[in-house]
Amino acid sequence: MSLTHTQSRFNSTLTSQCQNCSLSALCLPIALADEDINKLDQIIERKKPLKKGEFLFRQGEAFDSVYAVRSGTLKTFNITSVGEEQITGFYCPSELVGLSGIDSSVYPVSAKALETTTVCEIPFSHLEELSSHIPSLKHQIFKVMSRKISDDQQMMVLLGKKNADEKVASFLLNLSNRFKKRGYSASSFRLSMSRGEIGNYLGLAVETVSRVITRFQKNELIHVDGKEIEIIDFPEMQKLVGVASDCGKIAHI
Amino acid sequence: MSLTHTQSRFNSTLTSQCQNCSLSALCLPIALADEDINKLDQIIERKKPLKKGEFLFRQGEAFDSVYAVRSGTLKTFNITSVGEEQITGFYCPSELVGLSGIDSSVYPVSAKALETTTVCEIPFSHLEELSSHIPSLKHQIFKVMSRKISDDQQMMVLLGKKNADEKVASFLLNLSNRFKKRGYSASSFRLSMSRGEIGNYLGLAVETVSRVITRFQKNELIHVDGKEIEIIDFPEMQKLVGVASDCGKIAHI
DNA sequence: GCCATTTGCTGACCCAGATCAAGGATTTCC
DNA sequence: GGAAATCCTTGATCTGGGTCAGCAAATGGC
């Protein structure tokens, strides 16, 4: 992935990068005509990689772009009044970060790299302007935002109603689905976030996350080696999740 | 409010209802030219009132419209695998319901009236088509959706990190703000949802909601009479909320 | 008006998960 | 390569809020 990026960045053919990008089908999965893809491509800026811990943008900064993750992982978070961070999301390749900034024209969250991460910057004013001329692009933006709204509502259900086991199982299956969608293994992947960050995101203490993961391993639902996760017993994990998987099914009928 | 509605529905001047609607500044608070407002107005259908308990739409139904609440209150909810409902939001006048249906083209939640409620139906395909010709309308839709995303993320923080007191205080102040914005009293209002629905929404047992509200009253933070709420000590309530109010401030700098 | 149902309040008890503590494993960075 | 910092795990203990139960007060149907 980062190789692809490096190539695109340093050779001189600046047209149709989106077309060649392995993520194009996911980033904005639409049937755009070639010429439209070129137009979209021209407004996108490929930025140099962020190192682990670097900020993509900070809470309170002026909003001007959304970003598509090309490789690596980001987290978004708020800083609370007592100075602790509250993680609101993790972003994998092909996912869009920054959509929540459109309303107030500042980013309401900060975004930080969990590992070396490359992104495409999409200046929102250009995207909006371009969407006026490409109805399918506009529709796609509506869809992406709508999807984010219903995903976040699933997350609200998780936080409000689920116990620790259900939360961790949901989290792992959610990641699994996202990896699967972008062509990676659904059963075996690497957690780029720490146990502490998982707990923060799920509303659990680090210790609880650790205990649940250990127990899942004991019960042979998953196999764990540090940050490497392998999901062994999908049916059992899905049974644990219950609620969310059903809602997911209904949502895709 | 319902008087205004009745008038608009039964007299014959069908133009520029949006213009006259007392909610127009909130529903889509934009500087639309008069002719644009007329265009918008023409695609909007004012539906007959929903009685308490009636559905506006059901989870799994084909998505075709978003709805602006004119009077009354709605709740949206999922039905979980074990048949219990999980409330994902309450909608007051001027707020838009149904945006989460755009992505999957079915509504991922159900919407039900908590009291007699009137709505304007806005067929989404028309709205989208119209937005192609009115850039400020398109921008406005992006803003409304973006706002929803950041609001939901605040809700995630609430559910994940806050204790019962903070949850209830946040809930009451959130309602207060929404009433204030639409010109009603920020300190004195009526809860159209039951204690059970509040608990469901906040991830608390009914009993806890009841106990917290009683305690707030004892400590003279609020005054309660059944469903009537008066917020007496705003500073103290805001201190309880902590996190969210700060984020709110940052978001509006 | 009267009974049935729903909604709200409060007390007693209990448990899932937080907190505290402490040791081992990784990663980071001179 | 080694010290420091961070991260992960496990055990012991504590507690906020869930659950159960009982009663009072609204609300609604006939």
Side-chain angles (χ1 to χ4, degrees):
Chain A
M1 194 87 51
S2 65
L3 186 68
T4 305
H5 166 86
T6 309
Q7 286 173 344
S8 68
R9 193 152 181 278
F10 292 107
N11 70 27
S12 55
T13 54
L14 277 174
T15 51
S16 290
Q17 298 303 346
C18 284
Q19 210 162 23
N20 298 329
C21 173
S22 58
L23 301 174
S24 67
L26 294 161
C27 167
L28 288 170
I30 28 174
L32 282 187
D34 276 8
E35 53 174 323
D36 288 341
I37 291 187
N38 286 345
K39 281 184 206 155
L40 176 61
D41 196 74
Q42 277 158 29
I43 69 168
I44 289 180
E45 195 180 321
R46 285 155 197 84
K47 312 237 302 181
K48 74 170 202 295
L50 291 167
K51 276 177 290 195
K52 179 174 177 175
E54 285 182 341
F55 282 88
L56 179 59
F57 51 78
R58 287 167 194 263
Q59 189 172 345
E61 276 179 13
F63 165 83
D64 41 34
S65 297
V66 298
Y67 298 87
V69 181
R70 284 175 66 81
S71 67
T73 323
L74 293 165
K75 66 174 172 185
T76 53
F77 59 97
N78 283 144
I79 298 297
T80 70
S81 50
V82 288
E84 63 188 10
E85 81 181 42
Q86 165 62 46
I87 297 173
T88 56
F90 297 109
Y91 294 83
C92 298
S94 89
E95 297 176 339
L96 288 182
V97 200
L99 291 170
S100 58
I102 301 170
D103 174 56
S104 59
S105 65
V106 301
Y107 294 104
V109 292
S110 299
K112 200 179 202 176
L114 294 180
E115 57 193 321
T116 303
T117 298
T118 56
V119 299
C120 291
E121 176 172 5
I122 310 172
F124 189 70
S125 57
H126 292 181
L127 183 64
E128 200 174 3
E129 153 71 5
L130 190 57
S131 75
S132 296
H133 308 127
I134 312 175
S136 64
L137 177 62
K138 175 170 48 94
H139 186 71
Q140 192 54 28
I141 302 170
F142 285 143
K143 280 190 69 160
V144 168
M145 296 185 76
S146 169
R147 176 58 181 265
K148 176 77 181 150
I149 291 171
S150 50
D151 284 352
D152 282 354
Q153 284 179 352
Q154 285 311 312
M155 189 64 196
M156 285 165 49
V157 174
L158 178 148
L159 289 168
K161 284 277 178 301
K162 294 186 181 180
N163 64 25
D165 284 13
E166 293 165 344
K167 285 181 180 180
V168 174
S170 302
F171 177 72
L172 293 176
L173 286 187
N174 177 278
L175 279 185
S176 163
N177 281 331
R178 285 152 75 181
F179 287 127
K180 188 178 173 186
K181 229 197 288 183
R182 42 181 273 237
Y184 290 96
S185 166
S187 61
S188 193
F189 48 88
R190 187 168 186 287
L191 298 174
S192 44
M193 63 295 290
S194 71
R195 303 288 194 270
E197 286 166 330
I198 297 173
N200 182 305
Y201 180 58
L202 297 178
L204 295 172
V206 200
E207 295 92 330
T208 305
V209 175
S210 183
R211 277 186 255 267
V212 171
I213 289 182
T214 304
R215 185 151 32 79
F216 279 1
Q217 166 143 261
K218 244 174 225 152
N219 299 342
E220 297 184 320
L221 298 179
I222 61 177
H223 180 261
V224 190
D225 177 19
K227 299 205 172 254
E228 296 295 332
I229 294 278
E230 187 184 356
I231 300 180
I232 296 169
D233 192 342
F234 270 95
E236 200 56 36
M237 290 286 278
Q238 269 146 5
K239 221 191 284 174
L240 265 178
V241 172
V243 184
S245 90
D246 272 5
C247 297
K249 273 177 226 150
I250 290 170
H252 295 121
I253 283 169
Chain B
M1 193 87 50
S2 65
L3 187 66
T4 307
H5 167 87
T6 310
Q7 285 173 345
S8 67
R9 194 154 182 277
F10 293 108
N11 69 26
S12 54
T13 55
L14 276 174
T15 51
S16 292
Q17 299 301 347
C18 285
Q19 209 162 26
N20 298 330
C21 173
S22 59
L23 302 175
S24 67
L26 293 161
C27 168
L28 288 169
I30 27 172
L32 281 187
D34 277 9
E35 55 175 323
D36 288 342
I37 291 186
N38 286 344
K39 282 184 206 154
L40 176 61
D41 197 73
Q42 279 159 28
I43 69 167
I44 289 180
E45 194 180 322
R46 284 154 198 82
K47 311 237 301 181
K48 75 170 202 292
L50 292 167
K51 275 177 290 194
K52 179 176 176 171
E54 286 181 341
F55 283 87
L56 179 58
F57 52 77
R58 288 167 193 264
Q59 187 172 346
E61 275 178 14
F63 165 82
D64 41 33
S65 296
V66 298
Y67 298 86
V69 180
R70 284 176 65 82
S71 67
T73 322
L74 292 166
K75 67 173 173 186
T76 52
F77 60 97
N78 284 145
I79 298 298
T80 70
S81 50
V82 288
E84 62 187 13
E85 80 180 43
Q86 165 62 45
I87 297 173
T88 57
F90 297 110
Y91 294 83
C92 298
S94 88
E95 297 175 341
L96 288 183
V97 199
L99 291 171
S100 57
I102 300 170
D103 174 54
S104 59
S105 65
V106 301
Y107 295 104
V109 293
S110 299
K112 199 177 203 177
L114 294 179
E115 56 193 321
T116 303
T117 298
T118 55
V119 300
C120 291
E121 176 171 6
I122 310 172
F124 188 72
S125 56
H126 292 181
L127 184 63
E128 201 176 1
E129 152 72 5
L130 189 57
S131 75
S132 296
H133 309 127
I134 312 176
S136 63
L137 177 62
K138 174 170 49 90
H139 186 72
Q140 193 53 29
I141 301 170
F142 285 144
K143 279 190 69 160
V144 168
M145 296 185 75
S146 167
R147 176 58 182 264
K148 177 78 181 151
I149 292 171
S150 49
D151 284 352
D152 283 354
Q153 284 179 351
Q154 286 310 311
M155 190 65 195
M156 286 165 49
V157 175
L158 179 147
L159 289 168
K161 283 277 178 299
K162 295 186 181 181
N163 64 25
D165 284 14
E166 293 165 345
K167 285 181 179 179
V168 174
S170 302
F171 177 71
L172 293 176
L173 286 187
N174 178 279
L175 278 184
S176 162
N177 280 331
R178 286 152 74 180
F179 287 128
K180 187 178 173 186
K181 230 198 285 182
R182 42 180 273 237
Y184 290 96
S185 167
S187 60
S188 194
F189 49 88
R190 186 168 186 287
L191 299 174
S192 43
M193 64 295 290
S194 71
R195 303 289 194 268
E197 286 166 329
I198 297 174
N200 182 304
Y201 180 58
L202 297 178
L204 295 172
V206 200
E207 294 92 329
T208 306
V209 175
S210 187
R211 277 186 257 266
V212 171
I213 289 182
T214 304
R215 185 152 31 80
F216 280 1
Q217 166 143 261
K218 246 176 222 151
N219 299 342
E220 296 185 320
L221 298 179
I222 61 177
H223 181 261
V224 191
D225 178 18
K227 300 206 171 252
E228 296 294 333
I229 294 278
E230 187 184 355
I231 299 179
I232 296 168
D233 193 342
F234 270 96
E236 200 56 37
M237 290 285 278
Q238 270 147 3
K239 222 190 284 175
L240 266 177
V241 171
V243 185
S245 88
D246 272 6
C247 298
K249 271 176 229 150
I250 290 170
H252 294 120
I253 282 170

